[in-house]
Amino acid sequence: MRHRFLIGQLSHETNAFSPIRTCLQHFQQRGFLEGPALLEHFTGTHTTLGGFIHAALLQEDELIPSLSASAVPSGLVARDTFAILMQRLEDYLDAASGFDAIFLVLHGAMVAEKIPDAEGYLLERLRRRVGADMPIICTLDYHANVTDRMVENADLLLGLNTYPHVDGWERGAEAHHLAKAILSGAITPANFLVRPPLAPGVVPARTSWGPMEQLMNQALAYEMEPGVINVSAFGGFVYSDIFEAGLSFLATVDRNRERARTIAQKLGREAWRIRHEFQADLKPPRDAVQAALKHPGHPVILADVADNTGGGASGDGTALLAALLEEGARNAAIVTIPDPKAVVEAFAIGVGGTYAGYVGGKIDDQHGPPVWIKGPVRLLSDGRFVYRGPMSTGLTASMGRTAVIETNGIAIIVNEDRFQPVDPEVARSVGIEPLEKKIVVVKSAVHYRASYEPIASKIIEVDGPGLSSPNLERFSFRNLRRPIFPLDCDDFEGRWQDDDG
Ligand SMILES: [Zn+2]
């Protein structure tokens, strides 16, 4: 049977410690698409919306595209910006008629000014508008801080199962499959959410390693059992600093909330049992550069995990640039340093001219000071590139106008717009082949692994300053519930297990 779906996307991962107030221009810069332009942009891409669209078109369902707005992770979303986004979504809802279900791609860690649980608020407003009988199906990012309000106001929430996030397309297609099953009456989802008092940083919570690999495998094993619709394990995003931030487990079972409760509680208890395994092994910047220089092979990837733009850090941190210069490293590349001022100057100088000035460290005072460099402008670009790795495959993106400046054997990619440079195509698009470099600095916590692990001779995670550092004691949390592991001593075990249901 054919159905009509209203589809949309609203996505922002909010780092409450970032001084960058997230406004409409940030959404417009990254991607603000409405109506047919949304369908055109995402059809055929390896993204969550792309997966849903693909599955829907196969079954000749009709899609009513509404709004897709996403911004690079940064600070709290301005109240008026969030109001505009909500209003646009509701306008589409009001204008459309005769649709059978709503499908939304949400992040789950968006914080707006005065609205800590932005997605919960959004879903509650949509639910009030469309009534209890309209199926609302959403996907959430693996870094969602899942709240009771989200669960109460959606029929089905599917989390991404991977970090690096390489299964968006599959979750989108799965969401379509399950939406059809709900509409046909074949399944009636019953949800249960458990949040153990655990909030690690993002680095120790990747899903191809350690504790989250174990927990994700268990979740997926439960998902294979009869009657179980979905089991999602979420790493959460502690840097949102909301009450509910951290790990969570959401089980969805056909007509059986008790079974969902048992599964979610088992996962929550297992996470608590292995909590000490959430560890990161980081090297200070100069030690990391020395280790890279001693390593016989190449390229050595130095992951600047604390200056991960994708986690809300500025991305223009200079700790590794300074360390490379101090250690005299050659044949290195830095991917990237967002610095609009340096880009404007490089464009004025032109290819072959000499840049002499500061780069980086300009967005805030938490990622190292600006570093003086002098050297030739090697290349100028409009910054457009196409993702070729496992993440966002096929999607065209732009990092803003971009310049490559070389100093002391270090090629520095400076660009206008903050973004997470997860794909080697970023470097290749400006004439730098990572395979040929001794050292490649990548501003990313975990996502870079999807594309760089297969080509890296060695990966070293670096303990620089920054707003996505896994060293949580460096942050002053204000809203996160306490006590919580690893910030507090862990003798509060009994208290949460008594009332986790
Ligand atoms: Zn994420």
Side-chain angles (χ1 to χ4, degrees):
M1 190 177 170
R2 293 174 63 180
H3 292 104
R4 300 183 82 211
F5 293 98
L6 185 116
I7 64 169
Q9 171 164 264
L10 193 52
S11 176
H12 185 251
E13 185 176 83
T14 306
N15 186 320
F17 300 98
S18 166
I20 302 170
R21 187 169 183 248
T22 307
C23 301
L24 202 55
Q25 73 192 62
H26 296 106
F27 286 92
Q28 286 162 340
Q29 194 177 62
R30 171 79 175 271
F32 193 96
L33 299 152
E34 296 188 75
L38 181 161
L39 276 182
E40 197 183 318
H41 186 75
F42 287 101
T43 301
T45 61
H46 196 80
T47 58
T48 311
L49 268 177
F52 190 92
I53 292 167
H54 177 85
L57 295 181
L58 272 185
Q59 301 205 20
E60 297 182 353
D61 286 329
E62 191 182 334
L63 298 174
I64 307 166
S66 63
L67 164 75
S68 172
S70 59
V72 172
S74 46
L76 264 57
V77 178
R79 199 174 164 81
D80 57 345
T81 296
F82 185 66
I84 290 167
L85 297 172
M86 268 298 330
Q87 189 58 52
R88 289 304 292 150
L89 203 54
E90 288 178 339
D91 287 348
Y92 276 101
L93 216 62
D94 294 346
S97 60
F99 56 90
D100 302 298
I102 297 171
F103 171 67
L104 294 176
V105 177
L106 300 177
H107 187 286
M110 186 194 289
V111 183
E113 289 166 350
K114 305 254 168 65
I115 309 176
D117 173 17
E119 283 92 346
Y121 173 87
L122 178 148
L123 287 168
E124 191 176 275
R125 265 183 59 168
L126 294 187
R127 175 59 78 202
R128 253 189 250 141
R129 222 171 181 93
V130 298
D133 295 334
M134 170 68 66
I136 300 178
I137 293 111
C138 305
T139 57
L140 293 174
D141 190 87
Y142 169 75
H143 295 110
N145 294 316
V146 187
T147 67
D148 297 339
R149 203 182 192 185
M150 292 180 203
V151 176
E152 282 159 15
N153 290 290
D155 293 81
L156 188 60
L157 298 169
L158 298 177
L160 298 186
N161 293 337
T162 55
Y163 180 38
H165 306 330
V166 294
D167 67 330
W169 191 94
E170 286 80 357
R171 296 290 78 73
E174 184 184 14
H176 176 262
H177 171 73
L178 293 172
K180 298 285 276 186
I182 292 171
L183 288 168
S184 72
I187 58 169
T188 305
N191 299 303
F192 201 90
L193 174 70
V194 165
R195 268 191 310 270
L198 292 169
V202 295
V203 170
R206 65 187 156 100
T207 55
S208 57
W209 169 89
M212 280 316 292
E213 183 179 33
Q214 287 178 53
L215 291 162
M216 193 61 82
N217 285 341
Q218 285 172 30
L220 296 177
Y222 282 123
E223 206 172 285
M224 301 301 283
E225 292 181 3
V228 179
I229 295 168
N230 179 67
V231 182
S232 290
F234 295 94
F237 192 65
V238 64
Y239 314 95
S240 288
D241 191 23
I242 67 166
F243 183 83
E244 294 94 340
L247 292 193
S248 64
F249 301 93
L250 176 62
T252 306
V253 179
D254 186 20
R255 299 177 176 84
N256 190 340
R257 191 163 183 271
E258 272 313 299
R259 180 80 188 118
R261 174 207 288 261
T262 305
I263 292 170
Q265 282 181 339
K266 277 189 178 167
L267 287 166
R269 290 189 174 129
E270 179 61 9
W272 179 258
R273 192 184 68 77
I274 62 173
R275 64 194 175 281
H276 294 282
E277 295 174 25
F278 285 93
Q279 297 281 349
D281 179 22
L282 311 184
K283 277 189 165 51
R286 287 190 72 165
D287 294 5
V289 173
Q290 286 166 9
L293 291 173
K294 273 189 206 130
H295 180 75
H298 72 280
V300 178
I301 309 302
L302 299 184
D304 198 351
V305 300
D307 189 25
N308 170 29
T309 324
S314 65
D316 73 339
T318 53
L320 272 165
L321 171 58
L324 288 170
L325 290 168
E326 283 159 9
E327 295 297 328
R330 301 262 161 177
N331 194 22
I334 297 190
V335 192
T336 70
I337 292 183
D339 188 335
K341 190 166 176 286
V343 171
V344 168
E345 287 169 17
F347 269 78
I349 293 163
V351 173
T354 300
Y355 178 93
Y358 287 99
V359 293
K362 297 172 188 170
I363 294 174
D364 60 35
D365 58 0
Q366 301 179 73
H367 297 82
V371 170
W372 173 268
I373 60 163
K374 187 174 177 187
V377 176
R378 291 288 187 208
L379 183 138
L380 300 170
S381 154
D382 65 0
R384 287 174 73 80
F385 68 98
V386 179
Y387 286 94
R388 305 273 182 220
M391 285 182 68
S392 306
T393 322
L395 207 62
T396 301
S398 170
M399 49 183 149
R401 288 192 307 163
T402 302
V404 177
I405 304 170
E406 194 173 317
T407 186
N408 295 56
I410 305 164
I412 307 168
I413 303 174
V414 289
N415 65 309
E416 284 182 316
D417 303 338
R418 293 174 60 252
F419 81 115
Q420 188 180 186
V422 299
D423 195 310
E425 283 303 311
V426 171
R428 288 176 181 143
S429 72
V430 291
I432 295 170
E433 174 49 62
L435 282 168
E436 293 170 0
K437 292 290 168 191
K438 174 65 186 172
I439 296 175
V440 181
V441 171
V442 182
K443 303 297 190 81
S444 174
V446 170
H447 281 327
Y448 70 97
R449 286 179 178 273
S451 284
Y452 276 100
E453 263 178 3
I455 65 168
S457 178
K458 186 180 177 62
I459 288 176
I460 301 173
E461 295 176 322
V462 182
D463 189 12
L467 292 182
S468 59
S469 171
N471 292 309
L472 300 184
E473 69 279 4
R474 294 179 191 165
F475 298 81
S476 301
F477 290 94
R478 292 194 303 171
N479 306 309
L480 184 64
R481 68 196 184 284
R482 308 297 281 265
I484 200 158
F485 187 84
L487 282 163
D488 302 304
C489 62
D490 57 355
D491 58 357
F492 50 89
E493 178 167 3
R495 255 192 286 165
W496 86 273
Q497 296 217 352
D498 289 340
D499 62 15
D500 65 356

